[in-house]
Amino acid sequence: MQLSYSQKSFHKNKVIAHRGAWKSNNHPQNTLASLRQAVALGCEGSEFDVWMTADGILVVNHDSDFMGMPIETTNFKELLTKNHENGEKLSSIEEYLAEGKKQKGTKLIFEIKPSKISISRSEEVAEKSVLAVKKMKAQKWVDYITFSYEGGLKVIMSDPKANVAYLTGDKTPAELKEAGFFGFDYNIGMLRKNPHWIKEAKDLGLTVNAWTVNQEEDMRWLLEMGADFITTDEPELLLSIVQK
Ligand code: MG
Protein backbone atom coordinates (compact mmCIF):
# COMPACT_ATOMS: atom_id res chain seq x y z
CA MET A 1 0.00 0.00 0.00
CA GLN A 2 1.10 3.52 -0.68
CA LEU A 3 1.77 5.94 2.16
CA SER A 4 -1.19 8.17 2.81
CA TYR A 5 -2.58 10.52 5.40
CA SER A 6 -5.24 9.10 7.65
CA GLN A 7 -7.01 9.75 10.89
CA LYS A 8 -8.71 7.00 12.86
CA SER A 9 -11.52 9.25 14.05
CA PHE A 10 -13.24 9.56 10.65
CA HIS A 11 -16.65 7.92 10.31
CA LYS A 12 -16.54 4.69 8.31
CA ASN A 13 -19.88 4.64 6.54
CA LYS A 14 -18.87 5.32 2.90
CA VAL A 15 -21.28 8.25 2.68
CA ILE A 16 -19.90 11.27 0.82
CA ALA A 17 -22.27 14.25 0.78
CA HIS A 18 -22.11 15.78 -2.70
CA ARG A 19 -21.46 19.55 -2.41
CA GLY A 20 -22.19 19.16 1.31
CA ALA A 21 -25.57 18.10 2.71
CA TRP A 22 -27.90 20.73 1.32
CA LYS A 23 -31.11 19.15 0.11
CA SER A 24 -33.15 18.45 3.26
CA ASN A 25 -32.44 21.80 4.91
CA ASN A 26 -32.40 23.80 1.71
CA HIS A 27 -28.84 25.06 2.25
CA PRO A 28 -27.07 26.40 -0.82
CA GLN A 29 -24.55 23.88 -2.16
CA ASN A 30 -20.87 24.26 -1.33
CA THR A 31 -21.52 26.59 1.61
CA LEU A 32 -20.23 26.33 5.16
CA ALA A 33 -23.85 25.56 6.11
CA SER A 34 -23.94 22.51 3.82
CA LEU A 35 -20.55 21.36 5.13
CA ARG A 36 -21.76 21.71 8.74
CA GLN A 37 -24.88 19.70 7.91
CA ALA A 38 -22.78 16.86 6.42
CA VAL A 39 -20.74 16.90 9.63
CA ALA A 40 -23.90 16.93 11.76
CA LEU A 41 -25.26 13.90 9.88
CA GLY A 42 -21.99 12.06 10.47
CA CYS A 43 -21.05 11.53 6.83
CA GLU A 44 -17.65 10.00 6.17
CA GLY A 45 -16.92 12.80 3.73
CA SER A 46 -18.26 16.10 2.44
CA GLU A 47 -17.42 17.03 -1.12
CA PHE A 48 -16.85 20.57 -2.44
CA ASP A 49 -15.61 22.22 -5.65
CA VAL A 50 -12.69 24.61 -6.00
CA TRP A 51 -11.95 27.28 -8.61
CA MET A 52 -9.29 29.98 -8.79
CA THR A 53 -10.23 33.65 -9.15
CA ALA A 54 -8.56 36.02 -11.62
CA ASP A 55 -6.26 37.21 -8.84
CA GLY A 56 -5.25 33.71 -7.77
CA ILE A 57 -7.52 33.06 -4.77
CA LEU A 58 -8.96 29.56 -4.39
CA VAL A 59 -12.71 29.63 -3.71
CA VAL A 60 -15.46 27.07 -3.14
CA ASN A 61 -18.30 26.95 -5.68
CA HIS A 62 -19.75 24.38 -8.05
CA ASP A 63 -20.40 26.40 -11.18
CA SER A 64 -17.76 28.33 -13.09
CA ASP A 65 -19.64 31.51 -12.24
CA PHE A 66 -20.89 32.91 -8.94
CA MET A 67 -24.10 34.91 -9.14
CA GLY A 68 -23.43 35.70 -12.78
CA MET A 69 -19.74 36.54 -12.32
CA PRO A 70 -17.27 34.18 -14.01
CA ILE A 71 -14.92 33.15 -11.22
CA GLU A 72 -11.79 32.62 -13.29
CA THR A 73 -11.86 36.12 -14.76
CA THR A 74 -13.16 38.04 -11.72
CA ASN A 75 -11.15 39.25 -8.72
CA PHE A 76 -11.98 37.84 -5.29
CA LYS A 77 -12.99 41.23 -3.91
CA GLU A 78 -15.53 41.64 -6.68
CA LEU A 79 -16.93 38.14 -6.05
CA LEU A 80 -17.51 39.12 -2.42
CA THR A 81 -19.97 41.81 -3.48
CA LYS A 82 -22.68 39.13 -3.83
CA ASN A 83 -23.86 36.47 -1.40
CA HIS A 84 -25.17 32.93 -1.44
CA GLU A 85 -28.92 32.70 -0.90
CA ASN A 86 -28.39 32.06 2.83
CA GLY A 87 -26.34 35.25 3.17
CA GLU A 88 -22.94 33.54 3.21
CA LYS A 89 -20.11 35.02 1.19
CA LEU A 90 -18.24 32.87 -1.29
CA SER A 91 -15.76 30.92 0.87
CA SER A 92 -12.04 31.07 0.28
CA ILE A 93 -10.41 27.67 0.58
CA GLU A 94 -8.79 28.76 3.84
CA GLU A 95 -12.20 29.55 5.36
CA TYR A 96 -13.64 26.25 4.16
CA LEU A 97 -10.75 24.14 5.44
CA ALA A 98 -10.77 25.99 8.78
CA GLU A 99 -14.45 25.10 9.21
CA GLY A 100 -13.79 21.47 8.25
CA LYS A 101 -10.92 21.19 10.71
CA LYS A 102 -13.16 22.06 13.64
CA GLN A 103 -14.17 18.39 13.73
CA LYS A 104 -12.57 15.00 13.13
CA GLY A 105 -15.37 12.76 11.90
CA THR A 106 -15.93 13.92 8.34
CA LYS A 107 -13.28 14.03 5.62
CA LEU A 108 -13.08 16.94 3.21
CA ILE A 109 -13.36 15.76 -0.39
CA PHE A 110 -11.64 18.52 -2.32
CA GLU A 111 -12.57 18.66 -6.02
CA ILE A 112 -10.16 20.63 -8.16
CA LYS A 113 -12.22 22.02 -11.03
CA PRO A 114 -10.49 21.95 -14.42
CA SER A 115 -9.80 25.49 -15.64
CA LYS A 116 -11.81 26.61 -18.66
CA ILE A 117 -8.84 28.76 -19.66
CA SER A 118 -6.00 26.24 -19.97
CA ILE A 119 -4.53 22.97 -18.79
CA SER A 120 -1.61 24.86 -17.28
CA ARG A 121 -4.07 26.88 -15.19
CA SER A 122 -5.59 23.60 -13.97
CA GLU A 123 -2.09 22.53 -12.95
CA GLU A 124 -1.58 25.83 -11.17
CA VAL A 125 -4.86 25.37 -9.29
CA ALA A 126 -3.71 21.89 -8.28
CA GLU A 127 -0.36 23.13 -6.98
CA LYS A 128 -1.97 26.00 -5.12
CA SER A 129 -4.53 23.62 -3.63
CA VAL A 130 -1.80 21.41 -2.17
CA LEU A 131 -0.01 24.48 -0.79
CA ALA A 132 -3.23 25.78 0.79
CA VAL A 133 -3.95 22.41 2.42
CA LYS A 134 -0.39 22.25 3.77
CA LYS A 135 -0.54 25.83 5.03
CA MET A 136 -3.79 25.02 6.85
CA LYS A 137 -2.31 21.73 8.15
CA ALA A 138 -5.39 19.99 6.76
CA GLN A 139 -3.65 17.06 5.04
CA LYS A 140 -5.30 14.47 7.32
CA TRP A 141 -8.76 15.71 6.40
CA VAL A 142 -8.38 16.11 2.65
CA ASP A 143 -8.82 13.64 -0.20
CA TYR A 144 -8.65 15.15 -3.69
CA ILE A 145 -10.80 14.39 -6.70
CA THR A 146 -10.61 15.91 -10.17
CA PHE A 147 -11.70 15.61 -13.79
CA SER A 148 -8.35 17.14 -14.76
CA TYR A 149 -5.90 14.28 -15.29
CA GLU A 150 -3.02 16.76 -15.48
CA GLY A 151 -4.23 18.50 -12.33
CA GLY A 152 -4.42 15.15 -10.55
CA LEU A 153 -0.86 14.30 -11.59
CA LYS A 154 0.27 17.68 -10.29
CA VAL A 155 -1.26 16.98 -6.87
CA ILE A 156 0.45 13.57 -6.76
CA MET A 157 3.78 15.20 -7.66
CA SER A 158 3.36 18.05 -5.19
CA ASP A 159 2.36 15.75 -2.32
CA PRO A 160 3.04 12.06 -2.93
CA LYS A 161 1.15 11.15 0.26
CA ALA A 162 -2.06 12.85 -0.91
CA ASN A 163 -5.06 10.69 -1.83
CA VAL A 164 -6.17 11.62 -5.35
CA ALA A 165 -9.09 10.01 -7.19
CA TYR A 166 -9.87 10.60 -10.86
CA LEU A 167 -13.38 11.47 -12.04
CA THR A 168 -13.50 11.42 -15.82
CA GLY A 169 -13.79 7.70 -16.47
CA ASP A 170 -11.44 7.54 -19.44
CA LYS A 171 -8.63 5.67 -17.68
CA THR A 172 -8.50 2.03 -16.65
CA PRO A 173 -7.76 1.15 -13.04
CA ALA A 174 -4.33 -0.14 -14.14
CA GLU A 175 -3.51 3.20 -15.77
CA LEU A 176 -4.56 5.08 -12.63
CA LYS A 177 -2.50 2.81 -10.40
CA GLU A 178 0.53 3.27 -12.64
CA ALA A 179 0.16 7.07 -12.47
CA GLY A 180 -0.01 7.07 -8.66
CA PHE A 181 -3.72 7.74 -8.17
CA PHE A 182 -5.37 6.56 -4.94
CA GLY A 183 -8.55 5.48 -6.68
CA PHE A 184 -11.33 6.37 -9.05
CA ASP A 185 -14.56 8.23 -8.55
CA TYR A 186 -16.56 7.41 -11.67
CA ASN A 187 -20.06 8.12 -12.87
CA ILE A 188 -22.54 5.47 -11.72
CA GLY A 189 -23.81 4.90 -15.28
CA MET A 190 -20.28 4.23 -16.45
CA LEU A 191 -19.68 1.75 -13.63
CA ARG A 192 -22.95 -0.02 -14.39
CA LYS A 193 -21.59 -0.53 -17.92
CA ASN A 194 -18.12 -1.50 -16.73
CA PRO A 195 -18.62 -3.34 -13.44
CA HIS A 196 -15.32 -5.19 -13.95
CA TRP A 197 -13.51 -1.91 -13.24
CA ILE A 198 -14.61 -2.15 -9.61
CA LYS A 199 -13.01 -5.55 -9.05
CA GLU A 200 -9.97 -4.53 -11.04
CA ALA A 201 -9.53 -1.41 -8.90
CA LYS A 202 -9.94 -3.33 -5.67
CA ASP A 203 -7.43 -5.96 -6.77
CA LEU A 204 -4.95 -3.13 -7.43
CA GLY A 205 -5.57 -1.56 -4.01
CA LEU A 206 -7.33 1.45 -5.50
CA THR A 207 -10.36 2.98 -3.81
CA VAL A 208 -13.74 2.93 -5.54
CA ASN A 209 -16.12 5.87 -5.36
CA ALA A 210 -19.07 6.76 -7.63
CA TRP A 211 -21.05 9.92 -8.43
CA THR A 212 -23.78 11.05 -8.17
CA VAL A 213 -25.69 8.14 -6.69
CA ASN A 214 -29.20 9.16 -5.67
CA GLN A 215 -31.20 5.97 -6.34
CA GLU A 216 -31.48 3.36 -3.61
CA GLU A 217 -31.03 0.55 -6.14
CA ASP A 218 -27.68 1.97 -7.26
CA MET A 219 -26.59 2.48 -3.64
CA ARG A 220 -27.34 -1.13 -2.80
CA TRP A 221 -25.56 -2.35 -5.94
CA LEU A 222 -22.41 -0.37 -5.12
CA LEU A 223 -22.44 -1.64 -1.53
CA GLU A 224 -22.71 -5.21 -2.79
CA MET A 225 -19.86 -4.57 -5.20
CA GLY A 226 -17.71 -3.39 -2.30
CA ALA A 227 -17.39 0.30 -3.18
CA ASP A 228 -15.32 2.24 -0.64
CA PHE A 229 -17.33 5.46 -0.96
CA ILE A 230 -20.60 6.58 -2.53
CA THR A 231 -21.15 10.22 -3.44
CA THR A 232 -24.76 11.32 -3.14
CA ASP A 233 -27.18 14.22 -2.91
CA GLU A 234 -29.19 11.99 -0.54
CA PRO A 235 -26.85 11.35 2.38
CA GLU A 236 -29.72 10.64 4.80
CA LEU A 237 -31.04 7.85 2.54
CA LEU A 238 -27.61 6.29 2.12
CA LEU A 239 -26.88 6.54 5.85
CA SER A 240 -30.15 4.76 6.59
CA ILE A 241 -29.17 1.92 4.22
CA VAL A 242 -25.59 1.62 5.48
CA GLN A 243 -26.56 1.74 9.14
CA LYS A 244 -29.16 -1.04 8.91
MG1 MG B 1 -17.94 18.22 -7.42
Side-chain angles (χ1 to χ4, degrees):
M1 279 302 286
Q2 66 194 106
L3 276 174
S4 65
Y5 298 106
S6 66
Q7 194 155 261
K8 287 199 177 93
S9 56
F10 291 126
H11 304 299
K12 290 282 175 235
N13 52 37
K14 304 175 188 260
V15 180
I16 309 295
H18 183 231
R19 308 177 195 169
W22 46 271
K23 211 168 177 178
S24 302
N25 295 38
N26 213 19
H27 295 307
Q29 301 173 354
N30 276 314
T31 53
L32 297 175
S34 69
L35 168 59
R36 286 186 199 114
Q37 184 59 21
V39 169
L41 288 174
C43 297
E44 181 161 352
S46 185
E47 188 260 1
F48 57 98
D49 305 285
V50 176
W51 293 90
M52 185 168 75
T53 65
D55 51 341
I57 308 292
L58 298 178
V59 296
V60 179
N61 198 58
H62 179 264
D63 292 348
S64 58
D65 70 280
F66 180 66
M67 302 292 159
M69 297 178 282
I71 293 173
E72 293 198 277
T73 52
T74 306
N75 286 335
F76 185 52
K77 212 174 149 189
E78 180 80 23
L79 291 162
L80 293 180
T81 59
K82 293 195 181 169
N83 295 339
H84 283 287
E85 280 161 11
N86 66 349
E88 274 185 43
K89 300 280 183 204
L90 188 68
S91 290
S92 68
I93 195 58
E94 286 80 8
E95 289 164 325
Y96 214 81
L97 293 175
E99 182 66 31
K101 277 188 67 186
K102 288 180 183 168
Q103 52 80 48
K104 292 185 173 178
T106 302
K107 287 196 278 196
L108 307 174
I109 312 302
F110 187 128
E111 180 174 348
I112 296 168
K113 282 291 185 189
S115 170
K116 292 187 161 191
I117 297 169
S118 66
I119 288 176
S120 67
R121 199 171 198 273
S122 293
E123 292 173 331
E124 191 189 342
V125 176
E127 280 182 316
K128 281 201 169 186
S129 296
V130 172
L131 284 175
V133 168
K134 280 187 180 164
K135 191 182 94 188
M136 296 296 294
K137 297 189 168 49
Q139 293 99 321
K140 284 183 183 171
W141 281 261
V142 170
D143 285 353
Y144 298 88
I145 56 174
T146 187
F147 284 99
S148 167
Y149 190 70
E150 293 81 7
L153 293 179
K154 205 48 118 176
V155 174
I156 293 164
M157 261 170 50
S158 308
D159 182 357
K161 283 171 74 181
N163 297 339
V164 188
Y166 184 55
L167 290 161
T168 309
D170 58 354
K171 303 281 179 195
T172 64
E175 287 169 325
L176 294 177
K177 177 73 181 180
E178 176 68 26
F181 282 84
F182 176 70
F184 68 60
D185 181 359
Y186 282 174
N187 176 271
I188 177 64
M190 196 169 280
L191 290 177
R192 283 284 203 177
K193 279 181 213 145
N194 298 282
H196 59 281
W197 281 353
I198 297 178
K199 185 177 183 303
E200 239 175 279
K202 294 182 75 68
D203 288 347
L204 289 165
L206 294 172
T207 56
V208 169
N209 190 352
W211 58 271
T212 302
V213 185
N214 295 335
Q215 304 301 322
E216 181 167 346
E217 194 191 333
D218 289 328
M219 292 173 178
R220 291 190 185 279
W221 180 74
L222 284 166
L223 290 170
E224 264 168 43
M225 294 292 287
D228 298 280
F229 314 107
I230 298 173
T231 302
T232 180
D233 294 326
E234 308 284 357
E236 295 91 345
L237 171 63
L238 182 53
L239 281 165
S240 76
I241 293 171
V242 170
Q243 285 164 354
K244 250 175 222 166

